[in-house]
Amino acid sequence: MQPLTARRVALVFAVALLLPACAPAPRPGSLPPTLTVDDVGGALVAMQNGIPVPTFDRQPAREMSLDGPWRAETTAMDSDLSLTDRDVSLQQIEAAGGGRHTTEYDDSSWGTTAVPGSLNPPPEREEIGGWYRRTFSVSAGWEGSVATLKFGAVNYLADVWINGSWIGYHEGGYTPFAFDISSLLVAGERNVIAVRVDNPPWGTRNDIVPWGLADWWNYGGITRSVWIESSGPLQVARADVVPHLDGFDVSATVRQVETVVGAPPPGPVRPINQLGKRAGSVPSVPTIRFELYPAEVTPQNLVAPDARALVPDSARPLATTEVSIDGFDPSGVAVVDANFLLGGADLWSPARPALYVLRAVPLDASSGDAGLWTSFGLRRVSVDPDHGTLLLNGQATMLNGVALHDELLEPGSVEAATGAHRIHQPEQLLRQLDQARTVNADLIRSSHTPANPMLLTLADRLGFAIWEEIPLYHYTPLTFGIAMQRGIAPQMLREMALRDMNRPSVLFHGLANESTGTDERLAALAELHDVDHAIDGTRLTGQAAYGSQPDDPTQAPLDVAGFTFYYGVFYGRDAASGTAHALDVARATNPEKPILALEFGRWADTAADRERQVSVFDETFGELRRRSGERPNGFVAAAVWWTLQDYATMRPNILIEQFGLFAPDGEPRSVAAAAMERFTGTSGEGADQQLQSDVRRADVATPTPGGSLLLLRMLGYALLVSSLIIAAMLFLLLRFGGRSIGRPGPRA
């Protein structure tokens, strides 16, 4: 039986107002964030667990996947202990685990669970943690290499051991993290990885993110892929691309790991970083080569995990450059910059998603390192300050969107028997994106969390714009203060921005959803905006504020003003007039910003509800379209229907939220036809277009490691403008016989 409408309204709209009153007393944990931003030779480098934050793009290098069956044992955790500084708590955590972290522990009585996966998929409501263990081996071919252990995500808090040695922890359920395990991995021998996962139930404490009763499913456990990546001692950890319409800047973080030269030590147990290396595997003057390649997306390589698969077999580099790093510490970190100026480059947009591929490789022939490969697109998303409209590649734009949860429902005979799981197969994402294309959507709002990384890869290749956000969901003055003081929210934002730096599809970073408070929220959003722009700067920041308060003052520090509009649904009597009034107030309050409707929609529990869905769509979208930024004096930049598909929720008495344009069996509801008729997006055709990116001209500038590319670009433009001015003056002098410029000529 479906919940009553009144109950749904009370739960969906009022729970956020009631939770702060009944929240537990503040008891912030003392566990510090693990990500820092350090000054390295004048450049800022994100560091975590003692290493630069690496790329999480899958590489065509030597890689060992740890996906598949793991031994797992669910158990209740002491979350106070979990959130205590490890200098104090680690010994207690290991003691409470009863040796589960050691190599000798007998886990044969445990069951198995899939990684990636969850310890509590729907309809299992218990938010619980547990221990994971897996045995694996690596070949002798890994000797002398650097081994990096990478986790796509663990929800919510993970502690990790390799062969009984604790290597660190990570807090935050939706972003990736990594460790260098070279000193602990044993070549040709049995290795054991153990992971302790604590997933505190939402609403039990206010120092986690998210903290309260959120409207999606709290999948606990190792929820994304785990893998070990091998590289040479000179490692390109990441290569960040900043796109321009006439080229791009690339900033590569290079790490050199010192290994022991000589014969391997005796004995069967030989940690990788103590094994002998090939003579000369670390050059005295390290050099990084950057290569720019064309990309072509086809149906055959669409779901390939790595960027190199997009490079046509016969393609040669469009441009190359080499940068040497003089005076590099043998066990240090450096930032290497290069600047590519391109003539006649193809630009990325949802309608025409042209991509390029960059390779950054150490010139160390003996290492056999394939280098780092990443794809990117040239595009610019900005705000016209004179008209307050959204510009994509200089064109005024209004995006038509749908919200999408990272989830696939498994319908049962009754709602209570419905199952679901996080999506791990690209084919499942393709089916969702095909539904979005069917209704002419060109913007995806990836729920309230950082997006599935494969969703972003496909959005890049097919052509969809993305709004992704960190889960500051229904935050309050109290919880904003705790989240910012603990530093977890800024860490999540940095991790999301760093992971998705080279994804052209990501146009927006959302910093909060339907939150309350003024001063505390304003301060938090201003700080997060600065954090985001310090790392990235190529996306626009925003929030999804309540549309019932269209004059919300906390939009001030953000690039765009986003709202959720539920007039005629949760507030206001009429969808059309309420939306129209709210939009005009929002515009008057933010005349210099585009206005984004990040949610509008209604549930479809009954036949009458499904009819009302259509009228809500027509009435609300009609007012949004009338104020489209593509029209004279318009300002609306996006309209996002909530949601593309139904989804599971942790809210009491509701298992499935039926807001979808499509039912769980894939059948379109009536509102899908309305969206198909009214939406005007052109997207999702990248694989069918089979674009092969190209340039007419490519020039490369190579400033010193850690140098300022912005300064170089500004100097270049200054020289160009100066040259043009001088040329113009010479022309005028010659044309008018040396008459002083600006002096009136003789009268007739």
Side-chain angles (χ1 to χ4, degrees):
M1 179 178 179
Q2 296 294 338
L4 298 175
T5 297
R7 178 180 297 174
R8 185 179 292 272
V9 171
L11 287 168
V12 173
F13 184 60
V15 163
L17 303 178
L18 296 175
L19 273 174
C22 56
R27 46 175 182 175
S30 60
L31 192 67
T34 50
L35 190 149
T36 61
V37 180
D38 300 346
D39 186 309
V40 176
L44 297 179
V45 176
M47 302 288 293
Q48 193 169 41
N49 304 317
I51 62 174
V53 174
T55 182
F56 291 92
D57 292 355
R58 303 305 283 262
Q59 297 298 315
R62 190 163 45 196
E63 176 184 299
M64 169 176 289
S65 173
L66 295 182
D67 288 353
W70 287 50
R71 294 285 188 180
E73 181 185 52
T74 58
T75 182
M77 297 290 183
D78 181 347
S79 295
D80 285 335
L81 185 63
S82 299
L83 288 157
T84 299
D85 193 313
R86 289 296 175 267
D87 289 342
V88 176
S89 62
L90 180 58
Q91 187 174 357
Q92 294 173 267
I93 286 173
E94 291 184 340
R100 287 169 174 80
H101 67 286
T102 64
T103 57
E104 299 82 13
Y105 186 83
D106 182 5
D107 58 19
S108 60
S109 64
W110 294 10
T112 60
T113 191
V115 169
S118 175
L119 298 174
N120 62 319
E124 176 53 59
R125 284 188 174 271
E126 185 177 14
E127 299 159 275
I128 195 167
W131 283 85
Y132 287 80
R133 287 172 56 89
R134 176 163 173 159
T135 300
F136 64 96
S137 62
V138 295
S139 70
W142 285 52
E143 294 181 1
S145 67
V146 176
T148 305
L149 173 64
K150 297 184 176 183
F151 288 84
V154 178
N155 191 27
Y156 169 74
L157 200 164
D159 284 270
V160 185
W161 291 259
I162 295 291
N163 293 330
S165 294
W166 181 76
I167 59 174
Y169 65 89
H170 179 264
E171 181 178 354
Y174 302 94
T175 46
F177 55 100
F179 305 95
D180 183 341
I181 60 172
S182 305
S183 63
L184 299 171
L185 206 59
V186 182
E189 298 289 334
R190 172 180 177 267
N191 294 271
V192 176
I193 179 172
V195 184
R196 177 187 184 269
V197 181
D198 190 2
N199 185 28
W202 289 341
T204 62
R205 53 189 307 133
N206 50 27
D207 58 352
I208 59 175
V209 181
W211 71 275
L213 189 60
D215 191 22
W216 66 92
W217 197 263
N218 186 14
Y219 290 94
I222 304 177
T223 56
R224 296 210 192 283
S225 290
V226 184
W227 68 101
I228 305 173
E229 204 171 89
S230 170
S231 69
L234 183 62
Q235 175 191 68
V236 180
R238 59 183 303 113
D240 296 328
V241 174
V242 177
H244 307 284
L245 299 185
D246 62 345
F248 65 96
D249 305 330
V250 56
S251 181
T253 302
V254 180
R255 175 176 176 244
Q256 188 163 284
V257 182
E258 199 171 27
T259 58
V260 177
V261 178
V269 177
R270 302 185 297 171
I272 278 181
N273 78 330
Q274 295 177 10
L275 293 173
K277 64 174 183 178
R278 300 177 183 90
S281 62
V282 179
S284 58
V285 180
T287 300
I288 306 301
R289 179 181 176 87
F290 296 97
E291 301 171 345
L292 173 67
Y293 288 92
E296 181 181 12
V297 176
T298 68
Q300 289 71 40
N301 64 18
L302 175 60
V303 300
D306 64 271
R308 188 170 69 174
L310 304 184
V311 179
D313 292 339
S314 60
R316 299 180 63 83
L318 301 171
T320 63
T321 188
E322 297 176 7
V323 184
S324 297
I325 317 173
D326 293 316
F328 190 19
D329 186 328
S331 58
V333 174
V335 176
V336 180
D337 295 333
N339 176 258
F340 290 75
L341 300 177
L342 307 177
D346 291 314
L347 303 183
W348 187 96
S349 70
R352 197 174 186 275
L355 295 174
Y356 292 89
V357 170
L358 179 73
R359 183 191 186 206
V361 59
L363 290 188
D364 173 18
S366 62
S367 71
D369 195 328
L372 182 148
W373 295 76
T374 185
S375 61
F376 67 96
L378 302 178
R379 59 98 181 95
R380 184 170 188 264
V381 57
S382 59
V383 172
D384 183 337
D386 296 327
H387 301 94
T389 53
L390 178 71
L391 302 179
L392 180 58
N393 299 334
Q395 298 296 315
T397 301
M398 177 180 173
L399 297 165
N400 306 272
V402 291
L404 182 61
H405 283 262
D406 182 27
E407 179 182 67
L408 186 67
L409 293 182
E410 302 157 353
S413 56
V414 294
E415 182 181 291
T418 296
H421 64 269
R422 295 279 290 275
I423 293 181
H424 310 299
Q425 300 300 321
E427 292 76 16
Q428 296 170 337
L429 287 168
L430 283 174
R431 286 194 288 271
Q432 290 183 324
L433 292 175
D434 188 59
Q435 288 181 335
R437 179 168 61 169
T438 298
V439 299
N440 300 318
D442 52 12
L443 171 66
I444 303 292
R445 184 184 180 194
S446 61
S447 182
H448 302 298
T449 65
N452 183 324
M454 179 52 72
L455 173 69
L456 302 184
T457 297
L458 293 175
D460 285 352
R461 298 174 181 181
L462 291 172
F464 287 94
I466 299 288
W467 171 294
E468 67 171 340
E469 61 195 66
I470 57 175
L472 291 179
Y473 178 92
H474 287 317
Y475 264 64
T476 67
L478 172 65
T479 52
F480 266 122
I482 294 172
M484 298 306 291
Q485 182 179 13
R486 287 202 60 224
I488 300 305
Q491 174 171 291
M492 286 183 173
L493 180 58
R494 288 187 175 100
E495 290 170 334
M496 181 179 78
L498 289 165
R499 184 195 70 174
D500 302 332
M501 182 76 180
N502 295 351
R503 303 279 72 83
S505 57
V506 180
L507 304 186
F508 307 97
H509 283 166
L511 308 182
N513 181 83
E514 293 184 334
S515 296
T516 56
T518 300
D519 293 343
E520 297 83 358
R521 179 159 49 123
L522 188 64
L525 293 176
E527 180 179 342
L528 292 170
H529 169 86
D530 291 344
V531 165
D532 185 83
H533 277 236
I535 283 188
D536 188 338
T538 70
R539 276 94 185 176
L540 302 180
T541 62
Q543 66 168 323
Y546 282 114
S548 55
Q549 188 185 356
D551 57 351
D552 188 335
T554 66
Q555 304 281 11
L558 306 176
D559 296 321
V560 300
F563 296 90
T564 63
F565 287 105
Y566 286 106
Y567 284 92
V569 180
F570 295 137
Y571 41 78
R573 293 184 178 181
D574 177 69
S577 62
T579 301
H581 175 72
L583 286 170
D584 294 340
V585 172
R587 175 60 164 179
T589 307
N590 305 278
E592 78 291 355
K593 300 181 193 293
I595 306 299
L596 282 71
L598 293 168
E599 291 181 34
F600 73 105
R602 195 182 189 279
W603 59 90
D605 295 347
T606 67
D609 292 331
R610 290 190 283 276
E611 291 180 7
R612 181 59 183 149
Q613 264 191 322
V614 177
S615 59
V616 165
F617 182 95
D618 288 337
E619 294 166 19
T620 305
F621 186 74
E623 297 301 325
L624 296 169
R625 174 54 67 182
R626 268 188 279 276
R627 295 162 177 79
S628 166
E630 296 173 344
R631 298 183 177 185
N633 301 317
F635 53 86
V636 173
V640 178
W641 176 265
W642 191 268
T643 53
L644 178 70
Q645 298 177 331
D646 296 349
Y647 58 96
T649 178
M650 301 297 293
R651 294 192 184 280
N653 302 318
I654 302 176
L655 177 62
I656 304 299
E657 290 280 26
Q658 300 189 59
F659 278 67
L661 296 174
F662 292 84
D665 62 4
E667 287 298 310
R669 295 190 171 113
S670 299
V671 69
M676 188 184 308
E677 179 181 353
R678 303 294 296 277
F679 279 176
T680 58
T682 302
S683 62
E685 299 179 357
D688 297 330
Q689 294 172 351
Q690 296 192 23
L691 304 171
Q692 182 169 323
S693 54
D694 200 357
V695 296
R696 288 198 301 269
R697 176 181 55 79
D699 300 318
V700 183
T702 56
T704 58
S708 173
L709 291 174
L710 177 60
L711 177 60
L712 179 70
R713 180 174 289 272
M714 291 174 66
L715 289 173
Y717 285 149
L719 289 172
L720 176 62
V721 172
S722 300
S723 300
L724 291 174
I725 291 173
I726 292 171
M729 293 176 67
L730 288 173
F731 171 78
L732 290 172
L733 286 171
L734 294 172
R735 175 68 176 82
F736 295 104
R739 190 170 55 235
S740 298
I741 297 175
R743 180 182 299 173
R747 295 180 181 177

